[in-house]
Amino acid sequence: MKGVLIVLFCAVGIVYGCTPSVTRVSGTVAPSNYCSGDIIFEDNFNNINFTNWFFENTLAGGGNWEFQWYPGHDYANLYSENGFLKFAPTFTADRYGEAFLTSGRVVIPPDQCTQADWYGCERTGTAENIINPIRSTRIDTRQSFGFVYGELEIRAKMPAGDWLWPALWLMPQNNVYGGWPRSGEIDLMEMRGNRNLFSGSTNVGVEQGGSTMHFGPNWNFNGWPTAHHTRNQQPGFDAGFHLYRLRWTQTEIQFWYDNNLVGTVAAGTGFWDRGNFHNSGFTNPWVNGTVMAPFDQEFFIIMNLAVGGTNYFSDTFVNVPNPKPWHNDSPTAPRDFWRGRTAWEPTWNRGTEDSFMQVDYVRVRAL
Ligand SMILES: *[C@@H]1O[C@H](CO)[C@@H](O)[C@H](O)[C@H]1NC(C)=O
Ligand SMILES: *[C@@H]1O[C@H](CO)[C@@H](O)[C@H](O)[C@H]1NC(C)=O
């Protein structure tokens, strides 16, 4: 009997050659059948594939009040060349003139605007509240591809230039456990473009990459400090292409840069315990999930090149040789940043690709 069963299993294995995967997928380009180890999403950027990528079209800087304007797709800010996807930050003033920043008006029609919060669809420039001074790009797979569990690989070169904030990350497809951060956030790689930015003696600029998971019952109960890993290396991440890899199983998430394990976040007894939220006064939104909850639901991939903001660049960091031109509690942070450009503009090496984020490929494999 045993022998017969083994023979049967082998026969099935030969015919189908398929180990079933625990990975689940959704979206317009998600495959309906796949086996463990199969590539289930891939883009090599020989073109911009508008089916794969959704373009953010908003003035909103998110909860960090970032300074960039994501104008949907503008070839000046995103193009494919020689198989690389190039994220190029540009000056709003170069396109519309300096006066536009303090007196211009931008209205993104409601049916095209992708983020209305934080004054995202309509702004009028004034002397204090200038129009977003940098144009850049944020794209994601919210319509084309979501997945839970698997391996995500992004081969990319990070930008250099003061106050640039590139990010390769994921957000929840369906907010099954509620709004941020209840349904989680996974940051595979984010970095500050400054070449010489220090926290004490540690370079927190291009020589440091960060990988973080956000989760919690409320925005001010976020367990990210327990799920945050950084890696410092010389030369910095702007010096060439590196492979950023997320390995996501039903019990843990690992972050890898090339062959270096940057950190493991293990579910253990669950993320409610990890965040020590028992005395938060909130109820556990993940009680009906697995130990990985909220990271047991589908997420989509995001790539963007942000600038500044009032959170990620701490006022306590020391930038060499020029200090940060704004304070995080300034009501005029974008203006202060723009006024200080004689200090930071040279660090962008405009006219070269130094300030660009470049992506060679994005690939997802079923677990
Ligand atoms: C876009 O990518 C999808 C797979 O994700 C592929 O089927 C399609 O052919 C691509 N389109 C172009 C124009 O490259
Ligand atoms: C968990 O499931 C129970 C039973 O279906 C339900 O009453 C409860 O509201 C659920 N809790 C959450 C946080 O979803």
Side-chain angles (χ1 to χ4, degrees):
M1 188 59 191
K2 211 173 180 186
V4 173
L5 270 181
I6 287 167
V7 170
L8 265 178
F9 263 111
C10 288
V12 169
I14 287 160
V15 173
Y16 297 106
C18 183
T19 306
S21 174
V22 298
T23 298
R24 299 193 305 270
V25 298
S26 66
T28 57
V29 306
S32 40
N33 296 299
Y34 50 89
C35 307
S36 175
D38 284 359
I39 293 176
I40 49 176
F41 178 85
E42 182 169 27
D43 199 323
N44 294 303
F45 301 114
N46 296 317
N47 55 15
I48 298 181
N49 187 319
F50 293 95
T51 305
N52 289 344
W53 300 100
F54 176 91
F55 285 72
E56 204 73 66
N57 186 358
T58 184
L59 297 152
N64 300 309
W65 296 100
E66 297 148 27
F67 305 154
Q68 77 286 334
W69 171 2
Y70 291 134
H73 181 229
D74 184 330
Y75 278 101
N77 300 111
L78 189 83
Y79 55 95
S80 134
E81 190 174 58
N82 305 322
F84 298 105
L85 187 66
K86 302 190 174 183
F87 290 71
T90 61
F91 288 4
T92 303
D94 284 352
R95 180 164 178 149
Y96 297 107
E98 184 72 30
F100 184 80
L101 298 182
T102 51
S103 60
R105 181 165 165 73
V106 180
V107 180
I108 305 171
D111 61 324
Q112 293 167 33
C113 187
T114 55
Q115 177 54 270
D117 296 344
W118 303 289
Y119 310 100
C121 302
E122 204 174 320
R123 288 188 187 188
T124 302
T126 68
E128 289 77 34
N129 293 307
I130 66 169
I131 297 286
N132 313 34
I134 306 296
R135 284 164 64 93
S136 190
T137 303
R138 169 166 156 173
I139 57 174
D140 67 60
T141 66
R142 74 179 68 177
Q143 295 174 340
S144 64
F145 187 75
F147 72 107
V148 55
Y149 312 128
E151 269 191 16
L152 165 65
E153 291 183 343
I154 303 180
R155 185 169 185 267
K157 179 178 185 295
M158 292 293 140
D162 285 2
W163 321 118
L164 293 169
W165 179 4
L168 309 171
W169 54 304
L170 303 98
M171 282 292 273
Q173 190 77 273
N174 300 309
N175 281 331
V176 167
Y177 300 109
W180 191 88
R182 285 194 286 277
S183 295
E185 171 184 326
I186 305 170
D187 303 332
L188 168 56
M189 163 54 157
E190 59 183 337
M191 193 202 73
R192 301 174 190 86
N194 306 53
R195 294 180 185 79
N196 297 294
L197 184 67
F198 295 92
S199 173
S201 59
T202 304
N203 185 306
V204 290
V206 292
E207 292 179 13
Q208 182 179 84
S211 299
T212 310
M213 288 152 67
H214 294 264
F215 57 95
N218 177 271
W219 64 272
N220 57 351
F221 286 97
N222 181 337
W224 74 265
T226 72
H228 173 63
H229 296 277
T230 59
R231 177 180 165 82
N232 276 67
Q233 64 184 49
Q234 289 177 322
F237 293 98
D238 61 313
F241 282 86
H242 294 281
L243 188 61
Y244 300 102
R245 191 155 67 92
L246 177 77
R247 188 176 153 74
W248 182 4
T249 74
Q250 288 165 299
T251 53
E252 65 180 25
I253 280 181
Q254 289 185 336
F255 299 103
W256 294 77
Y257 301 168
D258 301 314
N259 294 319
N260 306 301
L261 177 61
V262 177
T264 300
V265 178
T269 53
F271 285 81
W272 188 255
D273 288 342
R274 168 180 282 274
N276 195 17
F277 298 130
H278 302 274
N279 299 318
S280 65
F282 290 92
T283 55
N284 182 351
W286 311 313
V287 280
N288 297 327
T290 70
V291 285
M292 276 302 274
F295 306 101
D296 59 353
Q297 303 292 331
E298 289 173 27
F299 280 62
F300 59 89
I301 304 159
I302 309 173
M303 305 194 290
N304 64 247
L305 179 48
V307 182
T310 56
N311 189 13
Y312 190 54
F313 295 92
S314 166
D315 289 342
T316 66
F317 294 160
V318 175
N319 193 56
V320 179
N322 296 298
K324 189 176 137 194
W326 77 97
H327 289 285
N328 287 344
D329 61 2
S330 168
T332 56
R335 183 199 67 177
D336 306 346
F337 161 77
W338 182 243
R339 279 187 176 171
R341 70 185 174 280
T342 51
W344 54 257
E345 181 178 351
T347 70
W348 287 26
N349 291 337
R350 297 200 321 136
T352 76
E353 296 184 343
D354 288 4
S355 66
F356 295 12
M357 178 169 80
Q358 300 192 42
V359 183
D360 184 9
Y361 61 79
V362 175
R363 213 168 271 166
V364 181
R365 237 174 257 280
L367 203 62

